[in-house]
Amino acid sequence: VYLETYGCQMNVNDTEIAWAILQKNGYARTKDLDEADVILLVTCSVREKAEQAIWNRLRHLKALKARRQQARLPLRIGILGCMAERLKEEILHREKLVDIVAGPDAYRDLPQLLAVAESGQQAANVLLSLDETYADILPVQTSAGGTTAFVSIMRGCDNMCSYCIVPFTRGRERSRPIASILQEVRMLSDQGVKEVTLLGQNVNSFRDMSEVQFQSAAAPVLSRGFSTVYKAKPGGLRFAHLLDQVSRIDPEMRIRFTSPHPKDFPDEASVLQLIQERHNICKQLHLPAQSGSTRVLEAMRRGYTREAYLDLVHHVRECIPGVSLSSDFISGFCGETEEDHQQTVSLLREVRYNVGFLFAYSMRQKTRAYHRLQDDVPADIKKRRLEELITVFREEAARANEAMVGQSQLVLVEGPSKRSDLELCGRNDGNIKVIFPDAETEDAAGCKAPVRAQPGDYVLVKVTSASSQTLKGVLLCRTTLSRSAACH
């Protein structure tokens, strides 16, 4: 089997789940397309561009399949994930070369679907589940060097933002039992993984309902000035409890999480308190804003105003000094005026994010925007506004990063830099890329012989220059997460 992943980190994790299921059923994995008997594409539907990439890829694979048929070597092609869920009929009819289609909740069915495809029929399962979390399947880690890993803690989303296809392709929110998450993180720790990112469409509304004694807890309180389209549900162990447990497993393992929703950081701020207190929970938060205009936020059904969002940002910065913030923005949403756009520009200036993910709006079928709103911002205006947002984001990120010049940063080494074998690359606590020379250095533990930093090591790097995307610096010493925390 040959696996190809498109889109978000959830899809990276889904690829590992699909591979774990196929491996148990006797499949071997190849990195060579020409060796494959089965090619599976794990797809994304968030924007039109993502789907276009798959249609183009299928055209390329059509020729490969035709050559195989002439040589009497059958090749099976499958579309997995969000696009399979959204466009099942179209994929099966438009591209006769696709043999199987499996939605995000149907990966357990892959061996059976492939068996049907062996007999020459097309096979599909895009049923969404109310309880599938793949809790008992430990994903086979495929990330580079095994230094970092993603752990899925929940699936689906209940927020129903008007632009978003996710609730329709990934279904309702459901959380994995905490016990199975802790088991996976312990296994990763034993394998020497040094950084785990807890993944979910909306991680901080996590609710483990797997044991009766958890079910009497009160419903959570939302942050001030925030609302939801659904009623907050009582019961369950919440995200703060999970974060507390996960961070206790290995003091030398960094913990990150994505993606939270701004509404789920209530005033008692137990999650923010944990980030501030624990040396191994990264001082980094993803706070997706989407727009800086209250009017547009209302049309998007985000459940907050510009003012409520800014209050939250100030609250976060008070609770976690030096926090690194990242965000998502959509330019050219339905009805967005030039004034609305300028509000987003000014939000970018005011907050000064370290990392940003910015996209032009693309209308998706099934969403509330598709049924209720007009996609009335012309493509060239969307493009111009997006370029303006990117320019402003980069200017502000460069300023934020330049403030780190002269400081020493703790960096988890990931491997050689893409541009030069003489340099190493890693990420600091704020998830910003740091590049430094691959040179001998001393070990902070007092070991006399000079050492070379390896992937998975923590090193201190003194920052000498910064851009909007990266920091560059000189290597000071190799250290550990606990030792570095004790020194600060």
Side-chain angles (χ1 to χ4, degrees), residues 145-148 186-195 250 253 456:
T147 300
T148 62
R186 280 190 202 102
M187 179 190 84
L188 293 170
S189 169
D190 293 344
Q191 287 172 9
V193 167
K194 284 296 189 343
E195 181 178 290
D250 180 350
M253 181 191 264

Side-chain angles (χ1 to χ4, degrees), residues 4 10 45 240 246 285 346 467:
E4 208 164 89
M10 290 295 285
S45 254
V246 167
L285 261 193
S346 75
S467 71

